[in-house]
Amino acid sequence: MDVIRLLGIRDTPLSVDEVLGAVEDHAAGGTAVFVGTVREQDGGRPVTLLSYSAHPSAEEHLRRVAEKVAADHQVTALAAVHRVGDLRLGEIAVVVAAACPHRAEAFDACRRLIDDLKREVPIWKHQVFADGGAEWVGACE
């Protein structure tokens, strides 16, 4: 069975339960999850609107990222989903999870998965601030 259980770029709300269910594995002694949400401020400026957009190839890039993490870590299961479209404060923007035989491996794999996703997957964030300013932030750092 493929250890990459769930990947997606979606314009609908994300479910932490779905991601956890995808990585459930009896060989795993530890599962680590990261949930990224829309915060009310960025750089000390109040955010009023946030929108994510993705390149059509984003899921292919996401798969390559997950494959590298699976190759470099002793994972039993991985999952990652990212939201696109307009999001409100508190909404979930991204959920990633890694299940491994031991907790330290799960933490390491989960951190690598979110860090590489943000660095390598072509997803961009457009933020509008309360002061009328706006900025684009590339998820590909």
Side-chain angles (χ1 to χ4, degrees):
M1 180 189 292
D2 189 8
V3 298
I4 301 170
R5 306 278 178 81
L6 174 66
L7 296 176
I9 309 293
R10 299 182 178 169
D11 62 359
T12 56
L14 304 180
S15 165
V16 175
D17 288 339
E18 177 190 21
V19 173
L20 274 172
V23 298
E24 185 177 325
D25 194 296
H26 293 296
T31 300
V33 178
F34 173 81
V35 180
T37 56
V38 178
R39 62 183 174 267
E40 65 184 358
Q41 291 196 16
D42 191 22
R45 298 169 71 188
V47 174
T48 59
L49 176 67
L50 188 140
S51 183
Y52 283 96
S53 58
H55 189 274
S57 68
E59 282 196 33
E60 295 166 29
H61 287 271
L62 182 54
R63 177 156 294 279
R64 284 196 291 275
V65 163
E67 288 170 348
K68 288 179 194 173
V69 172
D72 293 346
H73 295 274
Q74 189 178 3
V75 297
T76 61
L78 290 174
V81 290
H82 201 295
R83 179 92 183 267
V84 292
D86 295 338
L87 282 78
R88 296 184 318 268
L89 295 179
E91 283 193 282
I92 297 172
V94 62
V95 183
V96 302
C100 297
H102 303 283
R103 71 178 174 273
E105 296 163 337
F107 283 126
D108 291 345
C110 186
R111 182 178 186 106
R112 167 90 180 276
L113 185 56
I114 187 60
D115 288 350
D116 288 0
L117 182 160
K118 292 192 65 69
R119 187 174 33 258
E120 298 178 28
V121 179
I123 298 171
W124 302 275
K125 175 173 62 174
H126 184 241
Q127 299 185 115
V128 178
F129 299 100
D131 63 10
E135 71 179 353
W136 282 94
V137 180
C140 292
E141 299 169 337

